[in-house]
Short mmCIF file of all heavy atoms in Angstrom, two decimals:
data_model
loop_
_atom_site.label_atom_id
_atom_site.label_comp_id
_atom_site.label_asym_id
_atom_site.label_seq_id
_atom_site.Cartn_x
_atom_site.Cartn_y
_atom_site.Cartn_z
N ASP A 1100 183.89 -82.58 66.38
CA ASP A 1100 184.11 -84.03 66.48
C ASP A 1100 185.50 -84.28 67.04
O ASP A 1100 186.50 -83.95 66.39
CB ASP A 1100 183.95 -84.68 65.11
CG ASP A 1100 184.09 -86.19 65.16
OD1 ASP A 1100 184.22 -86.73 66.27
OD2 ASP A 1100 184.08 -86.82 64.09
N VAL A 1101 185.55 -84.82 68.25
CA VAL A 1101 186.82 -85.23 68.86
C VAL A 1101 187.11 -86.66 68.42
O VAL A 1101 186.22 -87.52 68.41
CB VAL A 1101 186.76 -85.13 70.39
CG1 VAL A 1101 188.06 -85.62 71.02
CG2 VAL A 1101 186.48 -83.70 70.81
N MET A 1102 188.34 -86.94 68.07
CA MET A 1102 188.71 -88.26 67.60
C MET A 1102 188.58 -89.28 68.72
O MET A 1102 189.02 -89.04 69.84
CB MET A 1102 190.13 -88.26 67.05
CG MET A 1102 190.31 -87.38 65.83
SD MET A 1102 192.00 -87.45 65.17
CE MET A 1102 191.86 -86.27 63.81
N GLY A 1103 187.98 -90.44 68.40
CA GLY A 1103 187.86 -91.52 69.37
C GLY A 1103 186.44 -91.71 69.84
O GLY A 1103 185.55 -90.87 69.63
N HIS A 1104 186.21 -92.87 70.51
CA HIS A 1104 184.92 -93.21 71.08
C HIS A 1104 185.17 -93.77 72.48
O HIS A 1104 185.22 -94.98 72.68
CB HIS A 1104 184.18 -94.26 70.23
CG HIS A 1104 184.02 -93.87 68.80
ND1 HIS A 1104 183.06 -92.99 68.37
CD2 HIS A 1104 184.72 -94.20 67.69
CE1 HIS A 1104 183.16 -92.82 67.07
NE2 HIS A 1104 184.17 -93.55 66.63
N SER A 1105 185.34 -92.90 73.43
CA SER A 1105 185.64 -93.34 74.78
C SER A 1105 185.25 -92.25 75.75
O SER A 1105 184.83 -91.15 75.36
CB SER A 1105 187.13 -93.69 74.93
OG SER A 1105 187.92 -92.52 74.72
N MET A 1106 185.38 -92.57 77.04
CA MET A 1106 185.11 -91.58 78.06
C MET A 1106 186.10 -90.41 77.95
O MET A 1106 185.73 -89.26 78.21
CB MET A 1106 185.21 -92.23 79.44
CG MET A 1106 184.22 -93.35 79.67
SD MET A 1106 182.55 -92.77 79.94
CE MET A 1106 182.70 -92.17 81.62
N THR A 1107 187.34 -90.70 77.54
CA THR A 1107 188.31 -89.64 77.37
C THR A 1107 187.89 -88.68 76.27
O THR A 1107 187.99 -87.45 76.41
CB THR A 1107 189.69 -90.23 77.06
OG1 THR A 1107 190.08 -91.12 78.11
CG2 THR A 1107 190.73 -89.15 76.91
N SER A 1108 187.40 -89.23 75.15
CA SER A 1108 186.93 -88.38 74.06
C SER A 1108 185.76 -87.52 74.51
O SER A 1108 185.67 -86.33 74.16
CB SER A 1108 186.53 -89.24 72.86
OG SER A 1108 187.63 -90.02 72.41
N ALA A 1109 184.85 -88.11 75.27
CA ALA A 1109 183.70 -87.34 75.75
C ALA A 1109 184.14 -86.24 76.71
O ALA A 1109 183.60 -85.13 76.68
CB ALA A 1109 182.71 -88.28 76.44
N ALA A 1110 185.14 -86.53 77.56
CA ALA A 1110 185.62 -85.51 78.49
C ALA A 1110 186.29 -84.36 77.75
O ALA A 1110 186.08 -83.19 78.08
CB ALA A 1110 186.58 -86.14 79.50
N ILE A 1111 187.09 -84.68 76.73
CA ILE A 1111 187.73 -83.62 75.94
C ILE A 1111 186.67 -82.82 75.20
O ILE A 1111 186.76 -81.58 75.09
CB ILE A 1111 188.74 -84.24 74.97
CG1 ILE A 1111 189.88 -84.92 75.76
CG2 ILE A 1111 189.30 -83.20 74.03
CD1 ILE A 1111 190.83 -85.68 74.89
N MET A 1112 185.68 -83.51 74.68
CA MET A 1112 184.59 -82.80 74.00
C MET A 1112 183.91 -81.82 74.93
O MET A 1112 183.62 -80.67 74.55
CB MET A 1112 183.57 -83.81 73.47
CG MET A 1112 182.36 -83.18 72.80
SD MET A 1112 180.96 -82.91 73.92
CE MET A 1112 180.40 -84.60 74.15
N GLY A 1113 183.66 -82.22 76.18
CA GLY A 1113 183.03 -81.32 77.13
C GLY A 1113 183.88 -80.09 77.41
O GLY A 1113 183.35 -78.97 77.52
N GLN A 1114 185.19 -80.28 77.51
CA GLN A 1114 186.07 -79.13 77.75
C GLN A 1114 186.11 -78.18 76.56
O GLN A 1114 186.08 -76.95 76.72
CB GLN A 1114 187.47 -79.62 78.10
CG GLN A 1114 187.53 -80.44 79.38
CD GLN A 1114 188.94 -80.88 79.72
OE1 GLN A 1114 189.79 -80.07 80.04
NE2 GLN A 1114 189.19 -82.17 79.64
N LEU A 1115 186.17 -78.74 75.35
CA LEU A 1115 186.19 -77.89 74.17
C LEU A 1115 184.86 -77.17 73.98
O LEU A 1115 184.83 -75.99 73.57
CB LEU A 1115 186.52 -78.72 72.93
CG LEU A 1115 187.93 -79.32 72.87
CD1 LEU A 1115 188.12 -80.11 71.58
CD2 LEU A 1115 188.99 -78.22 72.97
N ARG A 1116 183.77 -77.84 74.28
CA ARG A 1116 182.46 -77.18 74.15
C ARG A 1116 182.33 -76.04 75.15
O ARG A 1116 181.83 -74.95 74.82
CB ARG A 1116 181.34 -78.19 74.36
CG ARG A 1116 179.96 -77.56 74.29
CD ARG A 1116 178.85 -78.58 74.39
NE ARG A 1116 177.57 -77.90 74.39
CZ ARG A 1116 176.72 -77.90 75.39
NH1 ARG A 1116 177.01 -78.56 76.51
NH2 ARG A 1116 175.58 -77.25 75.31
N THR A 1117 182.78 -76.25 76.38
CA THR A 1117 182.75 -75.18 77.37
C THR A 1117 183.62 -74.01 76.96
O THR A 1117 183.25 -72.84 77.11
CB THR A 1117 183.20 -75.72 78.73
OG1 THR A 1117 182.36 -76.82 79.11
CG2 THR A 1117 183.11 -74.64 79.80
N THR A 1118 184.79 -74.31 76.40
CA THR A 1118 185.68 -73.24 75.92
C THR A 1118 185.03 -72.46 74.79
O THR A 1118 185.11 -71.23 74.74
CB THR A 1118 187.01 -73.84 75.46
OG1 THR A 1118 187.60 -74.59 76.53
CG2 THR A 1118 187.98 -72.76 75.03
N ALA A 1119 184.37 -73.17 73.87
CA ALA A 1119 183.69 -72.49 72.76
C ALA A 1119 182.58 -71.59 73.27
O ALA A 1119 182.38 -70.47 72.75
CB ALA A 1119 183.15 -73.52 71.78
N GLN A 1120 181.83 -72.02 74.26
CA GLN A 1120 180.77 -71.18 74.82
C GLN A 1120 181.35 -69.93 75.47
O GLN A 1120 180.80 -68.82 75.33
CB GLN A 1120 179.96 -71.97 75.84
CG GLN A 1120 179.08 -73.04 75.22
CD GLN A 1120 178.31 -73.81 76.27
OE1 GLN A 1120 178.75 -73.96 77.40
NE2 GLN A 1120 177.14 -74.31 75.90
N THR A 1121 182.46 -70.08 76.18
CA THR A 1121 183.09 -68.92 76.82
C THR A 1121 183.61 -67.94 75.78
O THR A 1121 183.42 -66.72 75.91
CB THR A 1121 184.24 -69.38 77.72
OG1 THR A 1121 183.75 -70.31 78.68
CG2 THR A 1121 184.85 -68.20 78.45
N LEU A 1122 184.24 -68.45 74.73
CA LEU A 1122 184.75 -67.57 73.68
C LEU A 1122 183.62 -66.90 72.91
O LEU A 1122 183.74 -65.73 72.50
CB LEU A 1122 185.64 -68.37 72.73
CG LEU A 1122 186.90 -68.97 73.35
CD1 LEU A 1122 187.59 -69.91 72.36
CD2 LEU A 1122 187.87 -67.88 73.79
N ALA A 1123 182.52 -67.63 72.72
CA ALA A 1123 181.38 -67.01 72.04
C ALA A 1123 180.80 -65.88 72.87
O ALA A 1123 180.33 -64.87 72.32
CB ALA A 1123 180.32 -68.07 71.75
N GLY A 1124 180.80 -66.04 74.20
CA GLY A 1124 180.31 -64.97 75.06
C GLY A 1124 181.13 -63.71 74.97
O GLY A 1124 180.64 -62.60 75.26
N LEU A 1125 182.39 -63.80 74.54
CA LEU A 1125 183.25 -62.63 74.35
C LEU A 1125 183.04 -62.00 72.98
O LEU A 1125 183.66 -60.97 72.68
CB LEU A 1125 184.72 -63.03 74.51
CG LEU A 1125 185.13 -63.58 75.88
CD1 LEU A 1125 186.59 -64.01 75.86
CD2 LEU A 1125 184.88 -62.56 76.97
N ASP A 1126 182.18 -62.63 72.17
CA ASP A 1126 181.86 -62.13 70.83
C ASP A 1126 183.11 -61.99 69.98
O ASP A 1126 183.30 -61.01 69.25
CB ASP A 1126 181.13 -60.78 70.92
CG ASP A 1126 180.39 -60.47 69.62
OD1 ASP A 1126 180.05 -61.42 68.91
OD2 ASP A 1126 180.20 -59.28 69.32
N LEU A 1127 183.95 -63.03 70.03
CA LEU A 1127 185.14 -63.03 69.19
C LEU A 1127 184.78 -63.48 67.78
O LEU A 1127 183.81 -64.23 67.57
CB LEU A 1127 186.20 -63.97 69.77
CG LEU A 1127 186.75 -63.61 71.15
CD1 LEU A 1127 187.74 -64.68 71.60
CD2 LEU A 1127 187.40 -62.24 71.14
N PRO A 1128 185.53 -63.06 66.78
CA PRO A 1128 185.29 -63.54 65.42
C PRO A 1128 185.47 -65.06 65.34
O PRO A 1128 186.21 -65.66 66.14
CB PRO A 1128 186.34 -62.80 64.59
CG PRO A 1128 186.73 -61.63 65.41
CD PRO A 1128 186.60 -62.06 66.84
N PRO A 1129 184.82 -65.72 64.38
CA PRO A 1129 184.91 -67.19 64.28
C PRO A 1129 186.34 -67.70 64.17
O PRO A 1129 186.68 -68.72 64.79
CB PRO A 1129 184.09 -67.51 63.03
CG PRO A 1129 183.11 -66.39 62.94
CD PRO A 1129 183.83 -65.17 63.42
N GLN A 1130 187.20 -67.04 63.40
CA GLN A 1130 188.57 -67.53 63.27
C GLN A 1130 189.34 -67.41 64.57
O GLN A 1130 190.20 -68.26 64.89
CB GLN A 1130 189.30 -66.80 62.15
CG GLN A 1130 189.52 -65.31 62.38
CD GLN A 1130 188.36 -64.47 61.90
OE1 GLN A 1130 187.25 -64.99 61.73
NE2 GLN A 1130 188.62 -63.19 61.67
N GLU A 1131 189.03 -66.39 65.39
CA GLU A 1131 189.68 -66.25 66.68
C GLU A 1131 189.20 -67.33 67.65
O GLU A 1131 189.98 -67.83 68.47
CB GLU A 1131 189.42 -64.86 67.25
CG GLU A 1131 190.12 -63.75 66.50
CD GLU A 1131 191.63 -63.86 66.62
OE1 GLU A 1131 192.11 -64.31 67.68
OE2 GLU A 1131 192.34 -63.52 65.65
N VAL A 1132 187.94 -67.68 67.56
CA VAL A 1132 187.43 -68.75 68.41
C VAL A 1132 188.15 -70.06 68.12
O VAL A 1132 188.58 -70.78 69.04
CB VAL A 1132 185.90 -68.91 68.21
CG1 VAL A 1132 185.39 -70.14 68.94
CG2 VAL A 1132 185.16 -67.67 68.69
N LEU A 1133 188.33 -70.40 66.85
CA LEU A 1133 189.04 -71.64 66.50
C LEU A 1133 190.49 -71.57 66.93
O LEU A 1133 191.07 -72.60 67.33
CB LEU A 1133 188.94 -71.88 65.00
CG LEU A 1133 187.54 -72.15 64.43
CD1 LEU A 1133 187.61 -72.46 62.96
CD2 LEU A 1133 186.86 -73.29 65.19
N HIS A 1134 191.10 -70.40 66.84
CA HIS A 1134 192.50 -70.27 67.27
C HIS A 1134 192.64 -70.57 68.76
O HIS A 1134 193.55 -71.31 69.18
CB HIS A 1134 193.00 -68.86 66.95
CG HIS A 1134 194.38 -68.59 67.46
ND1 HIS A 1134 195.52 -69.15 66.89
CD2 HIS A 1134 194.82 -67.83 68.51
CE1 HIS A 1134 196.58 -68.75 67.56
NE2 HIS A 1134 196.20 -67.94 68.54
N HIS A 1135 191.74 -70.03 69.58
CA HIS A 1135 191.81 -70.29 71.02
C HIS A 1135 191.44 -71.75 71.33
O HIS A 1135 191.99 -72.33 72.28
CB HIS A 1135 190.89 -69.34 71.76
CG HIS A 1135 191.38 -67.92 71.78
ND1 HIS A 1135 192.50 -67.53 72.48
CD2 HIS A 1135 190.91 -66.79 71.17
CE1 HIS A 1135 192.71 -66.24 72.32
NE2 HIS A 1135 191.75 -65.76 71.52
N LEU A 1136 190.53 -72.34 70.58
CA LEU A 1136 190.24 -73.76 70.77
C LEU A 1136 191.46 -74.62 70.45
O LEU A 1136 191.71 -75.64 71.12
CB LEU A 1136 189.06 -74.18 69.88
CG LEU A 1136 187.66 -73.76 70.32
CD1 LEU A 1136 186.63 -74.19 69.29
CD2 LEU A 1136 187.31 -74.36 71.68
#
Side-chain angles (χ1 to χ4, degrees):
D1100 183 5
V1101 177
M1102 296 182 182
H1104 306 281
S1105 63
M1106 299 285 285
T1107 302
S1108 301
I1111 296 173
M1112 177 267 288
Q1114 297 182 68
L1115 293 180
R1116 178 176 177 244
T1117 303
T1118 304
Q1120 289 179 331
T1121 304
L1122 296 172
L1125 298 177
D1126 199 26
L1127 297 178
Q1130 65 272 19
E1131 290 295 327
V1132 172
L1133 295 184
H1134 175 72
H1135 289 291
L1136 284 177

